[in-house]
Amino acid sequence: MTYSEFKQLVLSYFKEQLGHSVKISIQPVIKNNHVTFDGLLILESGCNATPSLYLNYYYDKLKNGADIESVLRLLLDTYQSNKLTENIDVRFFTEYENVSGRILYKLINASQNKELLQEIPHIKFLDLAIVFYCLVSTNDVGSATILIRNQHLSLWNVTPDMLHQQAAYNTPRLMPPKLIDMNSLLQEFAPDFIDSNSFTPSPLYVLTNSEKLYGAAAILDARILKNFSITKNNDFYILPSSIHEVLLFPANQQFNPAELNKMVQEVNQTQLSREDVLSDHVYYYSLQEQSIKIISEPITDSTCTRNHKAAHTS
């Protein structure tokens, strides 16, 4: 079955299950790193908003051996579990005072999102960009967010710096940073993988946030980076695992930056969905300078490229 045939079958199936009075369409949705998905939009009477179901994900299940009936049923069950039962009052978004307490930031790749960055407020950070979103709601199923665009700033009469200051306060409050060593993480999610009797902390640490959503932005918290460096009595490397997390490990020995960068690039190409990729570069945190740098050659006191002070959060 071709992808085009799959999309037509999905439309027919949902019209049959929900009735022809329901408005059903498939619209392209541009995600991070200019990745485009086909979103199935279903608008029932009495609702002015709907979750977007990305059909590419379900077609992959079909290609991987799932039968069409189970894929269609999964689509319908997912919609039924996440659909809204009443209208959303969009007027709350017209006043900055209503949304200011829910404005957070995240990190995305600057070069991979050039077109998007023309439409949204942002602040450059190394080879990345700090962008902003409104956290509408969060629950066991997931989080609903709205990306903040230039027209929102015009509507609210605020500047990107004001937005950044608000997000720097909100983000660690609503999504507290979470730092855990890799062995503890494996013991938590796969207790049979590690012998508890011989357990030792790993030198590799995962830095994310409590929701594991856009957790790579935790590197903007100067306190987290400084405290980790002091605790380990060393500078450390930062590997951009994804937009949702980064890996930290102390710089106890020299590493070849070219090899580290190559390793990150291979993981990005083979293990991550393109929309989850943060960067192909490894970073280095210097306690003396209290800054993050993109490394390009073996680390010495003077051989680093661009650097950026971590943002202070209060």
Side-chain angles (χ1 to χ4, degrees):
M1 179 182 295
T2 66
Y3 183 54
S4 178
E5 292 171 336
F6 174 71
K7 290 193 293 184
Q8 291 302 315
L9 182 59
V10 168
L11 288 174
S12 299
Y13 175 78
F14 270 82
K15 288 178 181 178
E16 178 182 340
Q17 295 294 321
L18 302 178
H20 290 272
S21 62
V22 175
K23 296 181 180 179
I24 303 173
S25 63
I26 297 176
Q27 302 291 336
V29 179
I30 299 178
K31 302 287 284 184
N32 186 46
N33 294 334
H34 207 66
V35 176
T36 301
F37 288 121
D38 287 317
L40 177 67
L41 304 180
I42 304 163
L43 200 60
E44 297 193 35
S45 176
C47 288
N48 61 355
T50 179
S52 183
L53 304 177
Y54 300 126
L55 296 185
N56 313 69
Y57 167 77
Y58 295 92
Y59 184 64
D60 285 342
K61 286 185 171 294
L62 191 64
K63 290 194 300 182
N64 290 332
D67 61 89
I68 186 61
E69 290 79 10
S70 64
V71 171
L72 292 174
R73 171 51 62 179
L74 177 60
L75 260 168
L76 182 61
D77 290 345
T78 303
Y79 167 70
Q80 298 285 11
S81 299
N82 293 277
K83 70 176 182 178
L84 302 176
T85 57
E86 57 184 17
N87 281 331
I88 292 180
D89 184 3
V90 296
R91 291 175 299 176
F92 87 98
F93 211 68
T94 62
E95 298 292 337
Y96 182 64
E97 291 75 13
N98 295 337
V99 299
S100 61
R102 290 185 166 274
I103 291 175
L104 285 74
Y105 54 38
K106 62 181 178 178
L107 285 172
I108 63 174
N109 188 280
S111 63
Q112 294 296 317
N113 293 280
K114 288 182 179 179
E115 294 182 12
L116 176 63
L117 292 179
Q118 295 177 7
E119 303 175 3
I120 62 176
H122 64 278
I123 296 174
K124 290 293 184 66
F125 181 82
L126 301 170
D127 61 330
L128 310 173
I130 304 171
V131 300
F132 309 95
Y133 66 96
C134 176
L135 181 64
V136 179
S137 65
T138 183
N139 53 44
D140 294 338
V141 177
S143 299
T145 65
I146 299 175
L147 184 65
I148 294 176
R149 299 183 175 272
N150 292 334
Q151 56 263 39
H152 294 136
L153 266 63
S154 299
L155 178 67
W156 298 332
N157 193 29
V158 299
T159 66
D161 285 340
M162 293 169 61
L163 211 60
H164 183 218
Q165 183 177 5
Q166 187 66 52
Y169 171 75
N170 291 337
T171 303
R173 179 174 61 88
L174 298 179
M175 291 192 178
K178 183 177 181 181
L179 181 65
I180 183 171
D181 75 85
M182 184 64 76
N183 282 350
S184 296
L185 191 66
L186 290 174
Q187 192 175 49
E188 177 182 348
F189 291 100
D192 296 334
F193 187 78
I194 294 180
D195 184 359
S196 59
N197 295 323
S198 59
F199 173 80
T200 57
S202 168
L204 189 63
Y205 283 74
V206 178
L207 177 60
T208 181
N209 59 36
S210 58
E211 301 297 324
K212 299 180 177 63
L213 177 69
Y214 308 135
I219 66 172
L220 299 174
D221 191 328
R223 297 169 303 179
I224 294 292
L225 305 185
K226 182 178 180 179
N227 290 341
F228 180 77
S229 190
I230 291 174
T231 300
K232 298 304 176 184
N233 194 29
N234 215 318
D235 297 347
F236 57 90
Y237 294 96
I238 303 173
L239 275 64
S241 180
S242 75
I243 60 174
H244 303 297
E245 64 183 23
V246 297
L247 303 180
L248 313 180
F249 63 96
N252 296 324
Q253 55 183 317
Q254 291 290 345
F255 286 87
N256 185 322
E259 293 181 355
L260 287 175
N261 286 333
K262 182 179 179 181
M263 178 180 67
V264 169
Q265 292 163 16
E266 288 179 350
V267 170
N268 288 343
Q269 294 170 6
T270 62
Q271 304 298 319
L272 283 183
S273 300
R274 185 181 164 196
E275 67 271 17
D276 286 337
V277 171
L278 179 61
S279 174
D280 283 336
H281 299 293
V282 174
Y283 307 98
Y284 184 88
Y285 177 81
S286 166
L287 178 60
Q288 180 178 357
E289 299 179 13
Q290 295 189 37
S291 65
I292 302 173
K293 308 175 181 182
I294 301 175
I295 60 174
S296 59
E297 53 185 279
I299 296 295
T300 67
D301 290 339
S302 59
T303 58
C304 285
T305 61
R306 295 165 289 168
N307 66 84
H308 202 294
K309 291 287 185 181
H312 174 72
T313 57
S314 56

